[in-house]
């Protein structure tokens, strides 16, 4: 088994029951309870969107810059990194890569709840009334 395959296997075995997400409600409670000393809040949205509003205490590194050596040097290996994006999609992808590099990462489920594309609503497939298939494929 290659080193990459071993890292992927380890990552998959360590996915928790919450799929490595933290809900906005749970994160907000931790912030209000001042229980964030073991967390590093990392907002990976565009800087201009981060400026318009972000979670207090978060750091901004745009996701396209996240894997540059100078950006990775800013990330702690002794804290859980909470990735924050628009709706959770980009953060979920970035989480997998960071985990493979040895970081402890969770994603803020549904991100900031702000679609980066105005004409595309945030709600998912079933909430939009699209067909669902039941049973096995």
């Amino acid at each position: 088994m290659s080193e990459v395959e071993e890292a992927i296997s380890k990552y998959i075995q360590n996915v928790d029951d919450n799929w490595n997400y933290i809900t906005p409600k749970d994160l907000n409670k931790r912030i209000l309870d001042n229980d964030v000393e073991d967390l590093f809040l990392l907002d990976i949205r565009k800087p201009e969107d981060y400026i318009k509003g972000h979670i207090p205490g978060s750091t901004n590194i745009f996701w396209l810059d996240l894997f540059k050596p100078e950006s990775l040097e800013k990330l702690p290996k002794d804290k859980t990194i909470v990735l924050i994006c628009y709706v959770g999609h980009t953060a979920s992808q970035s989480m997998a890569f960071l985990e493979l590099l040895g970081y402890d990462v969770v994603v803020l489920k549904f991100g900031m709840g702000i679609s980066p594309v105005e004409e595309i609503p945030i709600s998912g497939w079933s909430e939009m009334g699209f067909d669902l298939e039941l049973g096995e494929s």
Side-chain angles (χ1 to χ4, degrees), residues 20-23 81-83 88 91-92 95 105-110:
N20 295 348
Y21 288 109
I22 186 169
T23 66
I81 298 169
V82 179
L83 286 180
S92 294
M95 172 186 63
V105 186
V106 296
V107 169
L108 179 63
K109 192 166 185 80
F110 309 119

Side-chain angles (χ1 to χ4, degrees), residues 22-32 35-36 39-47 49-61 81-88 91 106-114:
I22 186 169
T23 66
K25 181 180 176 181
D26 289 342
L27 180 58
N28 187 57
K29 181 178 182 341
R30 288 194 62 179
I31 291 170
L32 292 175
D35 180 24
V36 291
L39 300 180
F40 182 78
L41 306 178
L42 181 59
D43 192 315
I44 59 172
R45 295 177 298 148
K46 292 179 181 177
D49 294 327
Y50 178 83
I51 290 169
K52 291 178 186 174
H54 56 273
I55 297 174
S58 63
T59 297
N60 179 234
I61 301 174
I81 298 169
V82 179
L83 286 180
I84 304 156
C85 69
Y86 298 97
V87 296
V106 296
V107 169
L108 179 63
K109 192 166 185 80
F110 309 119
M112 294 296 284
I114 303 167

Side-chain angles (χ1 to χ4, degrees), residues 7 10-12 15 17 19 38 40-42 48 52 54 57 59 68 73 76 78 83 92 94 106 108 115 117 121:
K10 180 181 174 189
Y11 166 71
I12 290 171
V15 172
D17 291 340
W19 292 86
D38 62 334
F40 182 78
L41 306 178
L42 181 59
E48 57 267 27
K52 291 178 186 174
H54 56 273
T59 297
K68 293 179 179 177
E73 289 175 5
D78 62 340
L83 286 180
S92 294
S94 299
V106 296
L108 179 63
S115 177
V117 181

Side-chain angles (χ1 to χ4, degrees), residues 54-107:
H54 56 273
I55 297 174
S58 63
T59 297
N60 179 234
I61 301 174
F62 184 45
W63 77 273
L64 288 176
D65 298 325
L66 186 55
F67 295 95
K68 293 179 179 177
E70 61 271 18
S71 296
L72 291 173
E73 289 175 5
K74 297 176 184 177
L75 304 181
K77 291 251 183 169
D78 62 340
K79 293 184 176 193
T80 299
I81 298 169
V82 179
L83 286 180
I84 304 156
C85 69
Y86 298 97
V87 296
H89 181 77
T90 304
S92 294
Q93 294 177 37
S94 299
M95 172 186 63
F97 293 127
L98 287 171
E99 285 275 347
L100 293 175
L101 292 174
Y103 294 93
D104 179 25
V105 186
V106 296
V107 169

